[in-house]
Amino acid sequence: MEAAPNERDMRLSWMTQPEGRAVVALDEEGLVLGTANMYPNRPNQGSHVASGSFMVGAPARGQGVGRALVRDMIDWTVERGFLGIQFNAVVASNDRAVRLYESEGFRIVGAAPGGFLHPTLGPVDLLILWRDLP
Amino acid sequence: MEAAPNERDMRLSWMTQPEGRAVVALDEEGLVLGTANMYPNRPNQGSHVASGSFMVGAPARGQGVGRALVRDMIDWTVERGFLGIQFNAVVASNDRAVRLYESEGFRIVGAAPGGFLHPTLGPVDLLILWRDLP
């Protein structure tokens, strides 16, 4: 297992620059509830497909923050003319996330068997999810 | 479509540094026949899975160069203790490559529909291939 990444590295890797985009979801007092980033999944002949990642803070779960971030991403990708969204590595044991994505039009198109070494569950599949746009 | 990448950018992106590795296949006179790179596919809890890419020069095709590079990669990943190899984006119309990978123990575990805009064929699936190690 590698050491936990530090804040600087995390910030650099998460804060996608144009042509990608990073967003935060705030509550009415300006507290960060969650964040998302989004970007072309591949260069050149694969650049018509977007990808992205989501994080919702533990205290904010179950309040629709993730769904709001996913919908915001879909809107952005449609606006930008992407033809599909691909999530490359959704941890299969994260039922909540998988159900959320499915309810927003994504479907499972593949799985890397045991692609994620879960700290308590052991090897868990990493799912590949796809959504046609719009 | 984006502009073709220049040599400097291509070199930087291909010449994977440790803990990854890039190799070239040479003929007896030192001419480059093909090249491969290989690296952990994901950080942290996904770093037990390797990925990589291959290129064989047009004049060298059909001579086993690709197979030699794939086998070299498998040997390296086994040596390094990886538990699997995942190819994230194999263009489905590239029958030769798909057959080669399958004959070396890989199987198709997913497909991004129309994930590659082929210059003559139009949208073609990008396959996800997997091989357990060793």
Side-chain angles (χ1 to χ4, degrees):
Chain A
M1 200 69 71
E2 296 169 17
N6 62 39
E7 181 176 333
R8 182 177 162 277
D9 290 348
M10 283 293 282
R11 189 178 288 272
L12 278 174
S13 73
W14 186 267
M15 293 303 290
T16 308
Q17 300 300 309
E19 55 194 282
R21 170 175 173 255
V23 299
V24 288
L26 306 175
D27 73 6
E28 291 177 355
E29 295 174 350
L31 283 175
V32 174
L33 303 174
T35 176
N37 63 14
M38 52 207 78
Y39 41 80
N41 195 39
R42 304 193 170 281
N44 305 313
Q45 287 102 325
S47 61
H48 61 298
V49 178
S51 192
S53 301
F54 303 90
M55 292 196 281
V56 175
R61 290 195 186 146
Q63 299 171 29
V65 176
R67 188 175 303 278
L69 288 167
V70 171
R71 289 183 176 177
D72 172 80
M73 183 203 184
I74 294 171
D75 289 346
W76 181 79
T77 53
V78 169
E79 223 169 73
R80 293 289 301 260
F82 287 99
L83 302 182
I85 301 174
Q86 181 174 342
F87 296 146
N88 302 297
V90 178
V91 180
S93 58
N94 190 352
D95 299 323
R96 262 182 112 105
V98 175
R99 279 200 308 267
L100 166 58
Y101 295 144
E102 287 181 331
S103 74
E104 292 294 336
F106 290 82
R107 65 184 196 276
I108 297 168
V109 295
F116 185 83
L117 295 182
H118 193 284
T120 55
L121 302 174
V124 172
D125 290 358
L126 283 178
L127 304 178
I128 296 110
L129 270 74
W130 179 271
R131 188 193 197 280
D132 291 308
L133 295 177
Chain B
M1 201 67 74
E2 295 168 18
N6 63 39
E7 182 177 332
R8 182 175 162 279
D9 290 349
M10 284 292 283
R11 188 178 289 272
L12 279 175
S13 72
W14 186 267
M15 294 303 291
T16 309
Q17 300 299 309
E19 56 192 281
R21 171 175 173 255
V23 299
V24 289
L26 306 176
D27 72 7
E28 292 177 354
E29 296 174 350
L31 283 175
V32 174
L33 303 174
T35 176
N37 62 15
M38 53 208 75
Y39 40 82
N41 195 39
R42 304 194 171 280
N44 306 314
Q45 287 101 325
S47 61
H48 61 297
V49 178
S51 191
S53 301
F54 302 91
M55 293 196 281
V56 176
R61 288 191 188 148
Q63 299 171 28
V65 175
R67 188 175 303 276
L69 288 168
V70 171
R71 288 183 176 177
D72 173 80
M73 182 203 185
I74 294 170
D75 290 346
W76 180 80
T77 53
V78 170
E79 223 169 74
R80 293 291 300 263
F82 287 99
L83 301 182
I85 301 175
Q86 180 174 343
F87 296 145
N88 302 296
V90 177
V91 180
S93 59
N94 190 352
D95 298 323
R96 262 183 113 105
V98 176
R99 279 199 308 266
L100 166 57
Y101 296 143
E102 286 181 332
S103 74
E104 292 294 336
F106 290 83
R107 65 183 196 276
I108 297 169
V109 295
F116 186 81
L117 295 182
H118 193 285
T120 55
L121 301 175
V124 171
D125 289 358
L126 283 178
L127 304 178
I128 296 111
L129 270 73
W130 179 271
R131 187 192 197 281
D132 290 308
L133 294 177

